[in-house]
Amino acid sequence: MSEEFEIKNKVASSGLVNFDLTDLVPKGIRKGIDLKDFLFMEMILKEKDFREKVAAINPEEYRDQYVYIYNSADAIVPLWAYFLITAKLTDVTKKIIFGNKEDLEVMLMHNAIQTYNFDELKDKRVLVKGCSDKEIPENAYIELVEQLKPIVKSLMFGEACSNVPIFKN
């Protein structure tokens, strides 16, 4: 007996919209500046020496990059020191922050989520992709739910074959 079998993609016909947060990750080089390298004996800020080292920075080395300024030394650094470096680089960088690389990623994802137009997801069943080869800060998922809850029909997390329902409106 011969029967025809048709393979149907139930996920494709379900109206489920896949959303991958990695699509929002800003592309570009991330570069850190450790204030320790600007300190005398890696522990004392001497204003004249500090200003000379800041003046010697080549801004072109940071052009169109995402920069984070941090201090790995056990030294107290006055706030104006961060001002000087920021003033030197702000015209050429895409973004400059105080903190570590993780802080930078949280800030970048925050900005990306806050400025993204989610209108295409209005009244849709949305599945936020769970697996990724890029690091996504956990806070990005929290902010995403804040943005999506008022507009989507339902939200799930994971993969189409094994997802976790988050809510239904």
Side-chain angles (χ1 to χ4, degrees):
M1 189 186 279
S2 112
E3 290 184 40
E4 287 189 34
F5 293 97
E6 184 180 340
I7 298 174
K8 292 184 179 181
N9 184 338
K10 291 183 180 180
V11 174
S13 62
S14 70
L16 196 60
V17 176
N18 287 301
F19 189 84
D20 188 349
L21 256 176
T22 61
D23 294 340
L24 299 186
V25 175
K27 293 172 180 36
I29 297 171
R30 278 79 162 142
K31 189 180 275 188
I33 297 175
D34 190 349
L35 287 183
K36 169 188 75 151
D37 301 330
F38 293 76
L39 305 176
F40 176 71
M41 297 177 58
E42 297 183 352
M43 66 175 130
I44 300 168
L45 188 144
K46 289 184 170 183
E47 184 176 350
K48 183 180 178 201
D49 294 345
F50 186 84
R51 286 181 179 276
E52 288 171 359
K53 288 180 180 178
V54 170
I57 294 173
N58 178 3
E60 289 305 312
E61 292 179 19
Y62 299 90
R63 179 161 299 282
D64 297 327
Q65 296 181 16
Y66 298 101
V67 177
Y68 54 100
I69 303 171
Y70 65 102
N71 180 11
S72 67
D74 189 18
I76 297 171
V77 177
L79 285 175
W80 59 260
Y82 302 102
F83 279 54
L84 283 176
I85 293 175
T86 303
K88 176 80 177 192
L89 299 177
T90 198
D91 294 336
V92 297
T93 61
K94 286 185 178 179
K95 181 74 177 166
I96 186 166
I97 69 148
F98 169 78
N100 58 32
K101 188 174 182 187
E102 291 77 25
D103 296 330
L104 175 64
E105 295 303 330
V106 168
M107 178 76 67
L108 293 176
M109 287 305 294
H110 169 78
N111 291 345
I113 290 168
Q114 294 301 313
T115 58
Y116 186 81
N117 183 354
F118 291 101
D119 289 347
E120 66 189 35
L121 301 178
K122 187 167 178 50
D123 298 323
K124 302 280 196 254
R125 297 176 60 231
V126 178
L127 173 65
V128 176
K129 185 176 179 181
C131 296
S132 173
D133 55 349
K134 291 182 183 175
E135 281 288 318
I136 303 291
E138 287 86 357
N139 196 61
Y141 292 99
I142 291 169
E143 289 193 52
L144 182 66
V145 173
E146 283 182 317
Q147 294 294 318
L148 295 180
K149 189 160 195 270
I151 65 168
V152 301
K153 184 175 183 178
S154 66
L155 184 67
M156 291 154 274
F157 176 81
E159 302 302 321
C161 61
S162 63
N163 61 64
V164 177
I166 305 300
F167 69 83
K168 288 183 181 184
N169 281 333

